[in-house]
């Protein structure tokens, strides 16, 4: 059970990062026009999401990883 929870949490954080990177790429490429003009603010918020997910993954691995 512990291993399944661990893998589910890692997957969640990886998905959060991938979703944020996808949105950042779309904003950088000009593929998506956001509802406002603050592109840098939008990207900054997305990078914040990446940072939090990466930090959570590191903590999970450090304290609960099997490796």
């Amino acid at each position: 059970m512990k291993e399944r929870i661990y893998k589910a949490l890692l997957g969640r954080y990886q998905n959060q990062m991938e979703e944020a990177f996808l949105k950042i790429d779309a904003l950088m490429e000009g593929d998506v026009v956001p509802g406002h003009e603050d592109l840098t603010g939008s990207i900054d918020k997305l990078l914040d999401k990446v940072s939090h997910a990466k930090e959570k993954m590191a903590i999970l691995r450090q304290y609960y990883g099997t490796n």
Side-chain angles (χ1 to χ4, degrees):
M1 182 69 136
K2 178 183 173 185
E3 184 66 24
R4 290 179 71 188
I5 293 170
Y6 178 82
K7 286 181 180 181
L9 286 170
L10 278 182
R12 174 184 290 183
Y13 304 141
Q14 289 169 338
N15 288 337
Q16 289 173 352
M17 290 174 53
E18 280 302 314
E19 183 178 353
F21 284 135
L22 177 65
K23 290 177 181 178
I24 291 169
D25 289 347
L27 288 169
M28 298 286 280
E29 300 286 327
D31 294 338
V32 174
V33 178
H36 51 81
E37 306 228 353
D38 189 13
L39 290 175
T40 55
S42 295
I43 292 170
D44 184 59
K45 288 178 185 178
L46 290 165
L47 287 173
D48 204 32
K49 288 182 180 185
V50 171
S51 175
H52 288 309
K54 190 170 185 175
E55 186 176 330
K56 288 178 181 181
M57 285 175 62
I59 292 168
L60 183 66
R61 285 181 173 138
Q62 180 178 353
Y63 292 104
Y64 300 101
T66 56
N67 297 336

